[in-house]
Amino acid sequence: MVFHTKGDDMKIDPFVLSEPCVIDPAYSVKECRPDKTGLSLWSEKSGGPLWLYTPGNLEAWLLDRTRREAFTTCVNIYHPGRYRTVQPTLYARRRFTLASVPASVPCTLYFNGSLYLKTDSRVVLLTNTSGEPQKFTLDLAPYLVPGENTIQIRVVANGGPPTFLLAAPSLQSDQDWKVSVDDLKWHAPRCFPFEGDRRFPHQETLPELPVVLDVDEDGLYDAGLQLLARVAVSAQGEGPIAVYVGESKVEALNPCDDVREQVVPVLPVAGEGEFRSETKLAFRYLRLGHTPGVQITSAQALASVYPTRYQGAFACSDQRLTSIWMHAAYTLRACMQLVFVDGLKRDRLPWVGDLFVCNLGNYQSFFETPISEYSLSALMGEDPEEADINGTITYSLFWIMAARDHALHCGDSAFLQSLLPYCGKLMAAIRKKTDNRCLLPSDRFSWIYVDWADVHTGGVCSFLNFLHVMALDAAADLHRAVGHETAASEFARQADELRTTCRAFFWDSGRKLFLDNVEPEKTDVHFGRQCNALAVLSGVCTLEQRPDVLRNVLLNKAVAPVGTPYMMFFEARALAACGEHEAMLAMIRDYWGSMLDAGASTFWEAHEVAIPEPERYAFYGRPFAKSLCHAWSSGPLPLLSAELFGLRPLKCGWAEFTLKPAVSGLEWACAEVPTPQGPIRVQIAGQRLSVTFPQGTLLVLGDGKTDQRHPGPAELEFTTGFSTR
């Protein structure tokens, strides 16, 4: 690949070119919308005193709060797993040195629950309160001495995670403090900036964006796109208004209460004014039922919207693909709540499989690291020896991979260090369940979730063991990212050993493909797209075997399709890994594009083109159970922004990255991908590719033997790019 300084005649801006395809009502590139001023959970403020929490405690509370809210509103919820409980006690300490004691050291404390404060062995304050943030002011000078001092705080709270904030000269609560839940093991705190004393960070809610509802020909109010929102109705009179919602028209018009997926709220009207629902509802369409004594003037949705801006973009010569990227971005954003949730209607809860896809999409579009961290931390199980994350072994494995991806894209070493103890326990618990061949037999797990398709998981399941290979690789990368080379080498050794075993165990040399499973004394042979896609992605499938896997499975239309956009993402990724980028783009156009053709504003949990209305909304044996805004369907974001260009981080926080342009059939394409150091912009037109990347990153080109290494900041142009055949 020949490169030279980028010329001035090749200027393509993905933000400008993609803007005609925007559907997000809060879309912005320049500023955060909605405004997050005053919201500590999402604040970017630096300096000043910080709220301190013990690591993981706030995230455990966010998960508990999300679960309580979902179980209150959503009718058919399934969310297994054993999650961490909120610890009621916070210990904190700070050691510091004074040359001399000032005449006065004014101190202000905010906290919840009861607080005990002492300096060295002298008690300063002991108070019991409850409710809203409490404020105390005092002078610390009488309790300090020249030389070494230690300030110690204990907060005990019920009904929420304990927290406090201390403001004093040279002594404010910040990252230099240590915290503990047991007064034994001490850690760096989880910190949030002070945005006022009206509420604690863990009490905050997402800002609401008013969305006008238009009345359509069926008398339904139409938001124009899927929302999670409270309903606000302007009315007058006396009597109740029943609120019926639907992600589709037929669901909103449904007269049967026993098939509803959400609890129907009732708004009591008394007089004249605006009446709002207490709970958030997932809907696009709204129907209001009321008595003749009530007159309705108008209705609007108060949408719960994550405060962010678009830091990534994609556009190409095929506007259908550009539109798909934008719809995937809005699908992802709609599922960004306190943590990433799987779908707005059902279950409205975090699942690791969804999180794995969500995070990759987030890194390409919004680059909101807090929600990725909150979600990863919240889903850490209480005890991996006893229970799998979300109740399924496959999601325990995906958690490791999601943590590795966070390391590569975000590079937050302090957060990664906090994940390592759980990562080690989880991998050790999984290894204990392997047999003498280092394989994971299916009968050692209560649930092996694959996909809503005909996949056989008896005996020894290839899907599970290929994921185990990928998780071992991820554990090696994660430990290597924080400098634990010995552990990284051991995980890498285990991965290579298992890869070799799987290659021999699941390869069918006669059919030249990988089998779903191997069951003793059974002659039935099952294979599908899922396991063969993962064989490619895990490296179990060799370069020599890839043409056979492509011909016999992945490009063979006679093989049954996968069940969901979730698994379609992995199949598309496998096609890209095999160099079949045109086939990947065709899959995106046909599958995700067909949902747009069906009138979708966001991407669905599952989709079959041939199923007509209203049957296409049925799932799990219920007529409206299918989620029409589902997080795991946001796969086009990383597929188009990253896989199409072969753009991926090689080292923590994009310190090194690679770029391998694809043969795609497009005339031109461009993307801007955010990194901690600044954006990377890549664009291709015909045979010309250019890339701009920031200081602190290093572009690595080559085959591993004759690599070219280009440090940023740089703006380079290459004389090779897409083939437009």
Side-chain angles (χ1 to χ4, degrees):
M1 183 179 290
V2 179
F3 74 94
H4 49 82
T5 302
K6 180 178 174 293
D8 293 332
D9 59 340
M10 187 181 176
K11 299 290 186 181
I12 301 177
D13 188 334
F15 289 104
V16 173
L17 292 169
S18 63
E19 195 165 343
C21 297
V22 169
I23 67 161
D24 187 344
Y27 177 83
S28 179
V29 174
K30 302 295 185 183
E31 60 187 8
C32 178
R33 292 184 184 168
D35 186 9
K36 58 184 173 185
T37 302
L39 294 173
S40 184
L41 273 179
W42 302 283
S43 175
E44 296 174 358
K45 182 192 293 185
S46 60
L50 302 173
W51 293 101
L52 303 191
Y53 292 83
T54 51
N57 214 29
L58 176 133
E59 293 89 336
W61 169 258
L62 294 181
L63 175 59
D64 182 65
R65 179 175 151 188
T66 300
R67 283 166 60 90
R68 284 185 280 113
E69 291 175 359
F71 276 88
T72 299
T73 307
C74 305
V75 175
N76 297 291
I77 285 186
Y78 178 61
H79 196 244
R82 186 176 301 165
Y83 305 102
R84 291 177 298 173
T85 56
V86 177
Q87 299 300 312
T89 306
L90 161 66
Y91 298 91
R93 70 186 183 194
R94 169 76 184 277
R95 295 190 174 98
F96 57 99
T97 302
L98 293 175
S100 62
V101 178
S104 175
V105 182
C107 166
T108 302
L109 273 164
Y110 298 95
F111 59 94
N112 60 339
S114 64
L115 180 135
Y116 172 71
L117 167 65
K118 71 175 185 176
T119 56
D120 294 311
S121 60
R122 301 184 64 189
V123 175
V124 179
L125 178 65
L126 176 59
T127 180
N128 288 286
T129 61
S130 60
E132 299 302 315
Q134 302 299 312
K135 177 180 178 181
F136 274 79
T137 58
L138 63 152
D139 184 3
L140 285 176
Y143 305 93
L144 303 177
V145 298
E148 292 292 327
N149 288 265
T150 301
I151 185 169
Q152 301 175 63
I153 289 177
R154 182 186 67 220
V155 181
V156 180
N158 293 314
T163 184
F164 78 94
L165 180 144
L166 183 149
S170 305
L171 192 56
Q172 65 187 18
S173 51
D174 56 21
Q175 296 93 339
D176 293 332
W177 287 62
K178 296 295 183 182
V179 297
S180 173
V181 297
D182 54 15
D183 206 13
L184 296 172
K185 295 181 180 178
W186 294 86
H187 311 274
R190 195 75 152 116
C191 301
F192 298 90
F194 185 65
E195 291 282 3
D197 60 0
R198 292 183 298 116
R199 56 192 171 188
F200 301 111
H202 64 265
Q203 293 176 325
E204 293 176 346
T205 58
L206 288 170
E208 292 183 329
L209 180 73
V211 177
V212 175
L213 303 179
D214 297 323
V215 179
D216 68 10
E217 65 275 9
D218 295 315
L220 292 177
Y221 293 91
D222 182 3
L225 71 174
Q226 305 294 345
L227 303 170
L228 182 63
R230 295 191 302 140
V231 174
V233 179
S234 295
Q236 60 182 349
E238 297 285 339
I241 297 178
V243 177
Y244 304 98
V245 296
E247 291 189 310
S248 61
K249 283 188 176 183
V250 291
E251 183 181 13
L253 292 169
N254 159 56
C256 302
D257 288 337
D258 59 350
V259 296
R260 300 194 194 285
E261 296 292 328
Q262 300 174 86
V263 175
V264 177
V266 175
L267 306 181
V269 176
E272 182 177 359
E274 185 179 69
F275 304 91
R276 300 181 173 187
S277 63
E278 293 282 335
T279 57
K280 300 174 185 176
L281 301 166
F283 67 97
R284 172 176 173 173
Y285 298 96
L286 168 69
R287 177 168 62 91
L288 300 174
H290 58 93
T291 62
V294 174
Q295 292 182 334
I296 296 175
T297 306
S298 63
Q300 67 173 339
L302 303 175
S304 180
V305 179
Y306 193 96
T308 189
R309 68 182 179 92
Y310 285 68
Q311 297 193 61
F314 169 84
C316 70
S317 54
D318 184 343
Q319 194 173 43
R320 185 174 177 87
L321 293 174
T322 306
S323 182
I324 287 171
W325 192 98
M326 275 297 181
H327 281 75
Y330 178 69
T331 301
L332 176 67
R333 186 177 192 176
C335 294
M336 294 167 71
Q337 297 297 314
L338 295 175
V339 291
F340 277 119
V341 298
D342 64 333
L344 298 189
K345 180 171 66 178
R346 200 222 70 250
D347 301 307
R348 207 182 301 169
L349 288 166
W351 293 79
V352 177
D354 302 75
L355 175 61
F356 178 79
V357 182
C358 278
N359 275 352
L360 290 174
N362 179 29
Y363 305 142
Q364 309 299 327
S365 53
F366 305 106
F367 206 70
E368 280 289 341
T369 56
I371 192 171
S372 292
E373 293 181 359
Y374 298 163
S375 302
L376 276 167
S377 183
L379 283 165
M380 288 166 57
E382 187 76 40
D383 186 354
E385 289 277 355
E386 298 296 327
D388 295 313
I389 301 177
N390 288 136
T392 173
I393 176 59
T394 51
Y395 278 17
S396 290
L397 297 168
F398 270 121
W399 187 91
I400 302 291
M401 290 182 263
R404 181 271 315 276
D405 288 340
H406 190 80
L408 289 175
H409 288 85
C410 302
D412 184 340
S413 59
F415 176 71
L416 299 176
Q417 288 282 6
S418 73
L419 299 182
L420 284 187
Y422 181 75
C423 173
K425 290 194 296 183
L426 178 57
M427 294 306 292
I430 293 169
R431 188 161 183 80
K432 286 180 181 178
K433 296 179 181 180
T434 59
D435 61 17
N436 57 7
R437 300 162 295 191
C438 296
L439 294 168
L440 291 170
S442 299
D443 61 5
R444 299 185 184 182
F445 303 94
S446 58
W447 184 24
I448 302 174
Y449 175 74
V450 179
D451 186 26
W452 303 127
D454 186 20
V455 177
H456 294 257
T457 57
V460 182
C461 170
S462 62
F463 185 101
L464 173 60
N465 284 278
F466 295 165
L467 283 180
H468 191 197
V469 172
M470 295 167 73
L472 286 165
D473 282 334
D477 292 340
L478 187 59
H479 283 78
R480 193 173 295 114
V482 293
H484 294 196
E485 291 296 337
T486 301
S489 297
E490 175 56 21
F491 282 122
R493 184 197 66 77
Q494 293 176 23
D496 288 339
E497 180 182 83
L498 182 56
R499 211 177 337 259
T500 300
T501 301
C502 287
R503 193 173 292 142
F505 200 76
F506 295 108
W507 177 250
D508 186 323
S509 57
R511 294 175 176 81
K512 295 190 181 303
L513 48 78
F514 288 91
L515 301 175
D516 281 350
N517 63 333
V518 175
E519 298 183 75
E521 301 178 3
K522 286 197 174 183
T523 58
D524 293 344
V525 175
H526 301 283
F527 64 90
R529 296 178 180 275
Q530 293 89 342
C531 70
N532 281 275
L534 288 183
V536 171
L537 295 176
S538 63
V540 171
C541 178
T542 65
L543 293 176
E544 293 74 22
Q545 290 169 328
R546 283 183 177 182
D548 291 323
V549 167
L550 286 168
R551 180 178 61 255
N552 296 325
V553 183
L554 299 183
L555 297 179
N556 184 356
K557 294 185 178 180
V559 178
V562 300
T564 62
Y566 165 61
M567 192 50 58
M568 193 76 73
F569 165 73
F570 293 100
E571 184 178 356
R573 222 179 180 194
L575 290 173
C578 293
E580 294 289 336
H581 292 82
E582 290 191 55
M584 179 192 78
L585 293 183
M587 175 184 290
I588 296 171
R589 289 187 193 99
D590 294 344
Y591 189 74
W592 279 272
S594 66
M595 285 187 261
L596 299 186
D597 295 339
S601 64
T602 50
F603 292 127
W604 303 347
E605 179 179 14
H607 178 54
E608 290 184 47
V609 178
I611 299 179
E613 283 194 307
E615 290 81 7
R616 65 169 51 137
Y617 306 125
F619 218 45
Y620 304 112
R622 305 193 304 273
F624 307 113
K626 185 177 293 179
S627 167
L628 301 191
C629 181
H630 215 73
W632 73 16
S633 301
S634 58
L637 296 173
L639 291 175
L640 294 172
S641 288
E643 296 296 338
L644 180 61
F645 301 97
L647 181 65
R648 57 173 53 90
L650 299 174
K651 288 191 176 181
C652 205
W654 288 89
E656 292 186 11
F657 70 99
T658 189
L659 177 67
K660 297 179 181 179
V663 175
S664 71
L666 295 172
E667 293 180 8
W668 59 267
C670 56
E672 184 155 310
V673 174
T675 79
Q677 292 81 14
I680 295 172
R681 178 174 288 185
V682 58
Q683 50 197 54
I684 298 179
Q687 298 299 304
R688 299 174 60 194
L689 176 147
S690 73
V691 58
T692 304
F693 49 101
Q695 186 172 356
T697 63
L698 180 76
L699 172 60
V700 180
L701 299 172
D703 56 8
K705 298 178 181 178
T706 57
D707 287 346
Q708 301 176 39
R709 303 171 71 83
H710 308 287
E715 192 172 4
L716 306 175
E717 186 177 292
F718 302 89
T719 56
T720 183
F722 287 163
S723 167
T724 57
R725 68 173 184 269

